[in-house]
Amino acid sequence: VLAPRLASLEDKVVGIVSNGWQCMRVIAEQYSKSLTLKYKLRGVAVYETPATMAMAPDLVERIRRECDAVIVGIGN
């Protein structure tokens, strides 16, 4: 089931999940800058997870609590 779309990103926190690859770090940095310039966000949070395994359940829960929207990147 897909999450409902947000009406706006204003005053929201957008999370970016990176697998730690260098190219994804660059992409996450660029997304952070672009989102901050384009939208009136409350913030952007970047999370790193190992490229070789699924995200730990506690990290998934933390992201769910802290973010209103999330971009998950693979960067390879």
Side-chain angles (χ1 to χ4, degrees), residues 18-49:
S18 168
N19 65 357
W21 288 33
Q22 182 58 35
C23 56
M24 188 55 211
R25 286 188 181 120
V26 172
I27 292 167
E29 184 178 320
Q30 289 302 310
Y31 276 1
S32 294
K33 288 178 185 176
S34 295
L35 288 166
T36 301
L37 289 172
K38 187 171 182 175
Y39 302 99
K40 296 176 183 175
L41 299 177
R42 188 168 12 123
V44 175
V46 178
Y47 305 90
E48 288 212 6
T49 188

